[in-house]
């Protein structure tokens, strides 16, 4: 698999070959949900403008955005979204399940509406594989399919910070959906 390099001229050529030299679409996002989200979507807009693609930005309140993206395929009006995904429990399965047919809205909560038979087969195989090395092979193959099909465009990793007063004592580690890299803690004792 080859890496994807930044090449605006090649992008323009590909748009001409696809006969969409005047491509226009809307990127929707839940405003205020992520650090500097407005600046990120404006940067995406500017980069695509360089290759002749017009991007309209639709900033929405998170609940409105979620409602829009949770519509089934035949009713879904999203063209492009700026959102995130991560592993809930540190296992790759929870990060890649977003791309399975089972996660399509409205029964699922993921908006790519991606389907690839090989991906589905590999995903199911890794879920039941008990040999860690064999499972890792399935996961690597899944990543190859995902990057070949370019299901999403990974942009950056957003750090998450948590703070507490010095008076909070007696932490116990806790893994939660919000703590994919570092554990959160249950507060056992608080002295004001």
């Amino acid at each position: 698999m080859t890496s994807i390099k930044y090449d605006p001229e090649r992008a323009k050529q590909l748009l001409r070959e696809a006969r969409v030299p005047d491509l226009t679409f809307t990127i929707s996002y839940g405003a205020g949900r992520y650090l500097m989200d407005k600046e990120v979507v404006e940067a995406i807009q500017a980069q695509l403008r360089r290759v002749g693609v017009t991007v309209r930005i639709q900033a929405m309140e998170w609940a409105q955005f979620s409602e829009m993206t949770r519509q089934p395929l035949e009713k879904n009006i999203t063209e492009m979204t700026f959102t995130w995904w991560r592993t809930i429990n540190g296992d790759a399965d929870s990060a890649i399940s977003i791309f399975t047919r089972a996660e399509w809205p409205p029964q699922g909560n993921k908006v790519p509406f991606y389907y690839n038979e090989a991906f589905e087969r590999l995903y199911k195989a890794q879920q039941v594989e008990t040999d860690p090395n064999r499972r890792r092979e399935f996961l690597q193959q899944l990543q190859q399919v995902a990057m070949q099909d370019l299901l999403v465009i990974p942009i950056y990793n957003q750090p998450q910070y948590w703070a507490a007063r010095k008076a909070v004592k007696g932490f116990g580690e806790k893994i939660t959906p919000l703590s994919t890299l570092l554990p959160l803690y249950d507060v056992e004792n608080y002295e004001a």
Side-chain angles (χ1 to χ4, degrees), residues 176-192:
T176 74
L178 298 175
S179 61
T180 57
L181 299 177
L182 300 173
L184 293 180
Y185 300 93
D186 281 331
V187 175
E188 298 169 359
N189 186 13
Y190 175 72
E191 298 173 10

Side-chain angles (χ1 to χ4, degrees), residues 15-127:
L15 288 168
R16 284 190 302 272
E17 289 173 9
R19 299 182 183 185
V20 287
D22 299 318
L23 182 60
T24 299
F25 61 87
T26 300
I27 182 170
S28 305
Y29 74 104
R33 179 77 171 188
Y34 310 110
L35 294 174
M36 300 181 68
D37 51 14
K38 179 179 184 283
E39 291 83 358
V40 172
V41 294
E42 287 174 350
I44 293 168
Q45 180 186 49
Q47 289 176 344
L48 288 170
R49 186 181 309 123
R50 288 191 65 197
V51 298
V53 175
T54 302
V55 176
R56 296 178 300 265
I57 296 174
Q58 181 179 25
M60 307 170 80
E61 188 275 326
W62 182 256
Q64 180 187 19
F65 173 76
S66 293
E67 176 65 25
M68 180 183 76
T69 60
R70 297 246 328 128
Q71 297 302 310
L73 179 60
E74 62 276 2
K75 294 181 181 178
N76 201 298
I77 62 170
T78 57
E79 296 175 333
M80 180 181 191
T81 60
F82 171 70
T83 187
W84 66 293
W85 90 98
R86 66 356 191 175
T87 174
I88 293 173
N89 57 12
D91 189 278
D93 182 90
S94 67
I96 59 176
S97 66
I98 182 177
F99 304 116
T100 63
R101 176 68 175 89
E103 287 294 321
W104 285 20
Q107 69 271 17
N109 194 26
K110 310 303 181 201
V111 296
F113 292 109
Y114 168 74
Y115 180 79
N116 178 308
E117 190 174 314
F119 188 93
E120 295 284 331
R121 184 175 23 81
L122 289 165
Y123 178 78
K124 288 175 184 171
Q126 67 82 32
Q127 280 196 307

